[in-house]
Amino acid sequence: MEKKELLYEGKAKKVFTTDDPGLLIVSYKDDATAFDGMKKGTIVGKGAINNRMTNHIFKLLEEKGVPTHLVEELNDRETVVKKVQILPLEVIIRNYSAGSFAKKMGMDEGIKLSRPTLEFSYKNDDLHDPFINSYYALALNLATQEEIDTVTRYAFIVNDVMREYFSTLGIELIDFKIEFGRLGDGTVILADEVSPDTCRLWDKETHEKLDKDRFRRDLGNVEDAYNEVFRRLGIQ
Ligand code: TMP
């Protein structure tokens, strides 16, 4: 697999074309941003952890019937993935109150919800990824009804699988954000990443935050948290 030119550089990853038009190489960076890029920093070792963690979880999800863009891990930071057109929707599932939900609902963080919630935001940094519902998504042609139904179904499966898996690692899955893409034939598959950047992960016993909130909120020990999650995954 030959890496060709840089196709796109995002906040946390670079994407390269390859000699196969259907495949791309993603390269995970140690760069961290928050608040739509307003806050910038580095989390040493994050790129490798997020790459390897995403691939580990995506393999598990594939086994449970959720198709993903994963093709092959090349090295610590780089993975070959299927080329997709990313749906401009962030799909967020919450099991406990936290973050923007806790703020919006006037709740403390860490309160277990009676059932998991799902929300969409429109992936657009200039607009600060506004909260939208499926009617907005349809009205703005962000996705079709069939695609919305598919991502909704997959998102709850992802939640069930990850919740159970993290639980075995002594981690409570508070909430997470995932993204989906369309293959050339229109099939919708899970893309992007699943990592401490995109999930809230709390130690089950101590409720210590083991995710990017340590960076967002200047809580310290950011690298330690990423390393701890990676250690518990037992990937080697
Ligand atoms: P929120 O509570 O700030 O809306 O975040 C919900 C989840 O989405 C949380 O697990 C963090 C994740 N997230 C991202 O992956 N990217 C983002 O840009 C934001 C704001 C949140």
Side-chain angles (χ1 to χ4, degrees), residues 104-115:
K104 189 158 43 183
M105 296 298 143
M107 286 165 83
D108 287 337
E109 293 198 301
I111 296 168
K112 188 169 190 197
L113 304 176
S114 300
R115 51 179 280 177

Side-chain angles (χ1 to χ4, degrees), residues 11 35-36 90-94 98-102 109 119 125 129 174-179 192 196-201 212-213 216-217:
K11 289 179 294 214
F35 315 116
D36 307 315
E90 301 198 335
V91 183
I92 297 159
I93 296 258
R94 302 179 190 270
S100 67
F101 179 93
E109 293 198 301
E119 70 199 53
D125 271 354
D129 298 340
I174 303 298
D175 58 28
F176 62 91
K177 182 269 301 179
I178 48 180
E179 296 181 22
D192 195 49
D197 274 16
T198 62
C199 302
R200 285 197 173 93
L201 306 168
K212 195 176 165 190
D213 272 348
R216 295 188 187 99
R217 303 177 188 187

Side-chain angles (χ1 to χ4, degrees), residues 30-227:
D30 284 355
D31 298 354
T33 66
F35 315 116
D36 307 315
M38 293 289 288
K39 180 183 171 103
K40 290 188 171 68
T42 301
I43 301 174
V44 177
K46 172 171 90 79
I49 289 173
N50 288 6
N51 179 41
R52 300 186 66 197
M53 175 167 172
T54 297
N55 295 341
H56 182 73
I57 305 263
F58 277 16
K59 279 181 206 155
L60 184 66
L61 291 169
E62 290 268 2
E63 285 167 20
K64 304 287 182 180
V66 179
T68 77
H69 72 172
L70 174 63
V71 176
E72 185 194 3
E73 187 171 288
L74 286 181
N75 54 52
D76 264 11
R77 278 176 195 273
E78 295 179 315
T79 294
V80 181
V81 299
K82 292 178 187 166
K83 182 173 182 163
V84 292
Q85 182 185 31
I86 294 284
L87 299 177
L89 290 178
E90 301 198 335
V91 183
I92 297 159
I93 296 258
R94 302 179 190 270
N95 297 306
Y96 287 78
S97 63
S100 67
F101 179 93
K103 198 171 169 194
K104 189 158 43 183
M105 296 298 143
M107 286 165 83
D108 287 337
E109 293 198 301
I111 296 168
K112 188 169 190 197
L113 304 176
S114 300
R115 51 179 280 177
T117 65
L118 178 144
E119 70 199 53
F120 296 117
S121 52
Y122 175 36
K123 202 172 141 63
N124 184 321
D125 271 354
D126 293 337
L127 300 176
H128 312 294
D129 298 340
F131 186 104
I132 58 167
N133 63 22
S134 59
Y135 292 89
Y136 280 42
L138 290 169
L140 299 172
N141 301 315
L142 306 181
T144 65
Q145 184 66 57
E146 193 187 349
E147 287 170 338
I148 290 168
D149 293 344
T150 302
V151 307
T152 301
R153 186 165 57 82
Y154 285 155
F156 283 114
I157 299 174
V158 170
N159 188 43
D160 289 342
V161 172
M162 292 213 298
R163 241 175 132 171
E164 193 179 316
Y165 178 63
F166 283 120
S167 179
T168 67
L169 310 179
I171 291 171
E172 198 71 67
L173 178 61
I174 303 298
D175 58 28
F176 62 91
K177 182 269 301 179
I178 48 180
E179 296 181 22
F180 293 86
R182 290 180 194 111
L183 288 169
D185 68 0
T187 311
V188 169
I189 64 175
L190 183 62
D192 195 49
E193 66 177 284
V194 169
S195 71
D197 274 16
T198 62
C199 302
R200 285 197 173 93
L201 306 168
W202 292 9
D203 181 90
K204 267 181 138 177
E205 300 299 323
T206 65
H207 300 160
E208 189 188 353
K209 293 179 180 20
L210 299 173
D211 57 62
K212 195 176 165 190
D213 272 348
R214 302 205 73 83
F215 169 79
R216 295 188 187 99
R217 303 177 188 187
D218 296 320
L219 300 177
N221 301 326
V222 184
E223 278 90 358
D224 293 345
Y226 280 71
N227 283 319

